[in-house]
Amino acid sequence: MTLKQRLPLLRWSFIRMGIGARHFSRTGQWGDGREAAAAAYVEAHARRGDLDDAIATLDKFAYEKSFLINIGDEKGALLDAAVTRANPRLALELGTYCGYGAMRIARAAPDARVFSVEFSPANAELARRVWTHAGVADRITCVVGTISDGGRTLDALAASGFATGGLDFLFLDHAKDAYLPDLQSLLERGWLHRGSIVVADNVKLPGSPRYLAYMRERRGAHWDTVEHKTHAEYQTLLPDLVLESKYLGDD
């Protein structure tokens, strides 16, 4: 990793995110075409049908071309390990972006049905292109919507087979202020069971303080949580925190 890759403030694509923050909040994209470019880069450079190569190619794009906000390689190893521990039959990701996290889940749990919820239709389409090229489009389903949309997305998931005690693994990587209310919505549906594992990215940067406080307050009672100190995606300057929480029972 070069100095420029280690220090994100030296990268224009990282600085550019400040300019595109308002656009991102509305659309889920930074407004400079990097998400579409990332999908095209995978299609052009990754071996078709090779899941490992698709993941590695997205990492290469994020390091060498334009900065991406998926979990990345360093924290991705934590995600992989948590998925392996959960050994899920059914996994849910909130926040698809370019499809990277869902691919890591699908790789670590080859027998799982993986669903990913994404509020941006454009991102959903890009992710589906990446999954098709990687050969996992038949194993990952993207649902366009949000958990807070009045029940429409939850009902769509229920129609796809989500039921009481059926959700083995949950990955939170969407709007940070939605982590806690969306988790609570899933708990209200009763979809998690004792032993379900929830992984939350970016708990320190940009931060999800309410979610962090919730997990700390309920540690040992309703949740068994490990706090993984790590770095924000695709650099080694800025610290981050990934929470891995095992559900212990009714909350």
Side-chain angles (χ1 to χ4, degrees), residues 4 6 12 19 23 30 38 40 57 59 68 104 106 125 129 134 139 157 179-180 199 219 222 234 240 247:
K4 187 175 181 181
R6 286 194 177 100
W12 167 246
I19 301 171
H23 190 273
W30 294 106
T57 301
D59 285 333
L68 298 175
R104 293 198 80 115
E125 181 57 34
R129 282 172 49 192
R139 295 172 47 206
L157 292 171
Y179 279 14
L180 182 54
V199 170
R219 180 179 280 140
H222 303 293
Y234 300 120
D240 200 0
Y247 187 45

Side-chain angles (χ1 to χ4, degrees), residues 55-215:
I55 292 170
T57 301
L58 271 179
D59 285 333
K60 183 176 182 180
F61 180 90
Y63 277 122
E64 299 180 2
K65 303 297 181 181
S66 291
F67 193 91
L68 298 175
I69 60 165
N70 41 251
I71 193 171
D73 52 347
E74 180 184 350
K75 293 185 292 182
L78 298 172
L79 175 63
D80 296 347
V83 174
T84 299
R85 280 188 282 273
N87 190 24
R89 292 169 297 175
L90 181 63
L92 175 63
E93 172 189 52
L94 303 185
T96 310
Y97 194 46
C98 295
Y100 179 93
M103 287 196 296
R104 293 198 80 115
I105 295 169
R107 182 174 66 178
D111 295 325
R113 297 170 62 211
V114 181
F115 286 79
S116 186
V117 173
E118 170 60 39
F119 89 97
S120 165
N123 283 346
E125 181 57 34
L126 293 174
R128 292 183 185 116
R129 282 172 49 192
V130 170
W131 298 336
T132 296
H133 189 83
V136 290
D138 60 332
R139 295 172 47 206
I140 309 174
T141 300
C142 188
V143 177
V144 177
T146 66
I147 299 300
S148 61
D149 62 7
R152 291 187 298 277
T153 295
L154 289 170
D155 289 346
L157 292 171
S160 297
F162 281 66
T164 301
L167 181 57
D168 306 303
F169 185 83
L170 173 64
F171 178 38
L172 303 175
D173 196 20
H174 59 317
K176 310 314 164 190
D177 60 357
Y179 279 14
L180 182 54
D182 286 358
L183 174 63
Q184 291 172 328
S185 293
L186 297 175
L187 288 169
E188 289 170 4
R189 290 264 174 156
W191 289 349
L192 278 73
H193 58 80
R194 184 176 179 86
S196 294
I197 290 178
V198 180
V199 170
D201 189 20
N202 301 124
V203 176
K204 182 178 179 68
L205 187 72
S208 184
R210 291 177 58 212
Y211 182 85
L212 178 60
Y214 169 88
M215 285 301 180

Side-chain angles (χ1 to χ4, degrees), residues 11 16 35 47 114-115 128 154 215 226 244 246:
R11 301 186 62 189
R16 173 66 177 73
E35 293 82 13
R47 292 182 293 274
V114 181
F115 286 79
R128 292 183 185 116
L154 289 170
M215 285 301 180
V226 177
E244 179 183 342
K246 180 184 289 187

